[in-house]
């Protein structure tokens, strides 16, 4: 009998992934954690049966949530990642030699320990990088503390159910803005607008009150089913006006090889279809 994991994140729509081999299935302090092998997606991690990351397609999500803000900013030295327990976001951020410090605030130590052992290809050594500061805490609690200012803040959280819910509040966004350095950029995992439009509309409403430049950009991640995924974008700086040739120069100077990100894809990702634009009004 072939097993399947069915993701029931959405009310009217579900996706299932075949389990070729279950590698781990247990409760952490915060959530039900599974890792299994799937012939198409490689190793898959789910939290409460919601796909978090897969070996095969995580490059799209992690490249777009790091290289877009870091290359648009142009001089990012300090990056904060809220969530990101699998280490993929840290992996991509640390590929920028110009980044001096990545602070990663993850609520669930179990996800980190576990990802190191069962998903080493996702973090690919990021946890051993001396520039990485790993903090086990609730991101909503961490962001309230006084402390360093960040050039880029990346919210790589679960969806707004369970421990991730606090990371989708006006309060959290307001406190995150307070922790941004001048011209700093806040980017967020904001779900699939075709199925989670309200989530994006709420984030954009909050960003419009906080930032001179509030928008989102898109990329399609196959395992985040339901169409293109949105990434919230908020800044008071000019980063979104960075000309394509400047992005191209910065990208080439970084020496980073990517499988999804290009400066042209970066610029194009902010061209929003009508149904998404409507969610920003
Ligand atoms: N790529 C995934 C997505 O788009 O749904 C997110 C990946 S990552 C595994 C999500 C991480 O957010 C998990 O490790 C989870 O433990 C963490 N997380 C959830 N709520 C959090 C909170 N309040 N503070 C810090 N980390 C949190």
């Amino acid at each position: 009998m072939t097993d399947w994991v069915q993701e029931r994140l959405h009310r009217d729509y579900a996706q299932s992934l075949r389990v070729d081999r279950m590698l781990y299935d247990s409760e952490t302090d915060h959530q039900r954690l599974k890792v299994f092998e799937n012939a198409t997606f490689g190793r898959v991690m789910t939290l409460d049966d919601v796909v978090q990351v897969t070996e095969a397609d995580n490059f799209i999500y992690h490249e777009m949530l790091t290289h877009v803000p870091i290359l648009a900013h142009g001089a990012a030295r300090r990056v904060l990642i809220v969530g990101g327990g699998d280490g993929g976001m840290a992996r991509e951020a640390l590929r920028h030699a110009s980044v001096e410090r990545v602070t990663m605030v993850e609520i669930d130590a179990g996800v980190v320990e576990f990802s190191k052992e069962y998903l080493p290809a996702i973090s690919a050594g990021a946890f051993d990088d001396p520039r990485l500061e790993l903090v086990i805490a609730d991101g909503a609690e961490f962001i309230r503390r006084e402390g360093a200012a960040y050039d880029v803040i990346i919210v790589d959280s679960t969806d707004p159910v369970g421990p991730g819910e606090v990371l989708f509040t006006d309060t959290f966004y307001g406190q995150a803005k307070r922790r941004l350095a001048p011209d700093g950029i806040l980017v967020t995992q904001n779900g699939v607008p075709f199925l989670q439009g309200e989530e994006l509309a709420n984030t954009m409403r909050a960003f419009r009150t906080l930032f001179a430049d509030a928008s989102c950009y898109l990329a399609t991640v196959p395992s985040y089913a339901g169409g293109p995924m949105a990434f919230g974008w908020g800044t008071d700086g000019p980063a979104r006006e960075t000309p394509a040739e400047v992005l191209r120069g910065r990208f080439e100077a970084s020496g980073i090889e990517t499988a999804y990100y290009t400066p042209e894809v970066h610029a194009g990702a902010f061209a929003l279809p009508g149904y998404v634009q409507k969610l920003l009004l």
Side-chain angles (χ1 to χ4, degrees):
M1 158 81 164
T2 304
D3 274 342
W4 294 76
V5 164
Q6 185 180 65
E7 176 186 273
R8 299 301 299 271
L9 176 63
H10 306 298
R11 195 192 60 219
D12 310 324
Y13 175 88
Q15 69 171 344
S16 297
L17 290 105
R18 194 176 66 182
V19 179
D20 295 330
R21 189 157 70 106
M22 183 61 78
L23 298 172
Y24 188 94
D25 179 357
S26 175
E27 287 287 341
T28 72
D29 295 344
H30 300 270
Q31 43 214 343
R32 174 82 177 268
L33 205 165
K34 287 178 187 171
V35 173
F36 56 92
E37 282 180 354
N38 173 282
T40 298
F41 285 94
R43 290 192 176 188
V44 179
M45 172 169 73
T46 63
L47 290 173
D48 297 334
D49 279 351
V50 176
V51 173
Q52 298 298 307
V53 67
T54 85
E55 283 181 330
D57 71 359
N58 80 88
F59 68 95
I60 303 170
Y61 173 81
H62 291 126
E63 288 182 17
M64 288 302 279
L65 262 176
T66 51
H67 306 321
V68 169
I70 291 172
L71 291 172
H73 182 285
R77 299 282 178 272
R78 298 182 68 94
V79 175
L80 172 64
I81 298 168
V82 178
D86 50 63
M89 204 62 74
R91 174 196 80 215
E92 287 302 315
L94 289 164
R95 291 173 70 188
H96 292 268
S98 54
V99 168
E100 294 164 2
R101 190 101 171 123
V102 173
T103 301
M104 178 174 145
V105 183
E106 164 58 53
I107 196 169
D108 193 334
V111 176
V112 174
E113 287 321 306
F114 169 84
S115 299
K116 284 180 184 173
E117 184 178 349
Y118 287 90
L119 294 166
I122 303 289
S123 52
F127 290 115
D128 301 323
D129 189 311
R131 293 174 292 161
L132 179 69
E133 174 198 14
L134 175 61
V135 176
I136 299 302
D138 180 333
E141 185 277 320
F142 176 89
I143 209 77
R144 282 198 292 272
R145 300 176 195 165
E146 291 307 313
Y150 297 97
D151 300 305
V152 172
I153 298 179
I154 301 168
V155 184
D156 175 20
S157 71
T158 44
D159 292 281
V161 285
E165 199 161 358
V166 289
L167 305 179
F168 289 79
T169 61
D170 295 28
T171 306
F172 174 78
Y173 295 140
Q175 285 157 348
K177 169 159 186 181
R178 215 171 32 79
R179 296 292 299 269
L180 281 174
D183 293 344
I185 305 167
L186 172 61
V187 290
T188 58
Q189 180 280 102
N190 246 117
V192 170
F194 187 77
L195 297 170
Q196 298 162 290
E198 196 179 323
E199 190 180 305
L200 178 63
N202 289 339
T203 298
M204 289 295 100
R205 181 185 41 71
F207 278 27
R208 274 198 306 279
T209 65
L210 288 167
F211 296 108
D213 177 15
S215 187
C216 72
Y217 58 105
L218 304 179
T220 298
V221 184
S223 61
Y224 299 150
M229 169 176 233
F231 307 111
W233 166 280
T235 183
D236 286 340
R240 192 145 66 98
E241 307 312 316
T242 306
E245 62 275 11
V246 173
L247 286 177
R248 167 60 60 191
R250 289 174 182 168
F251 178 55
E252 287 169 0
S254 75
I256 294 172
E257 281 182 26
T258 53
Y260 187 88
Y261 179 92
T262 70
E264 296 70 29
V265 163
H266 175 148
F270 285 90
L272 303 178
Y275 82 96
V276 176
Q277 283 185 8
K278 267 198 276 188
L279 294 168
L280 274 55
L281 298 178

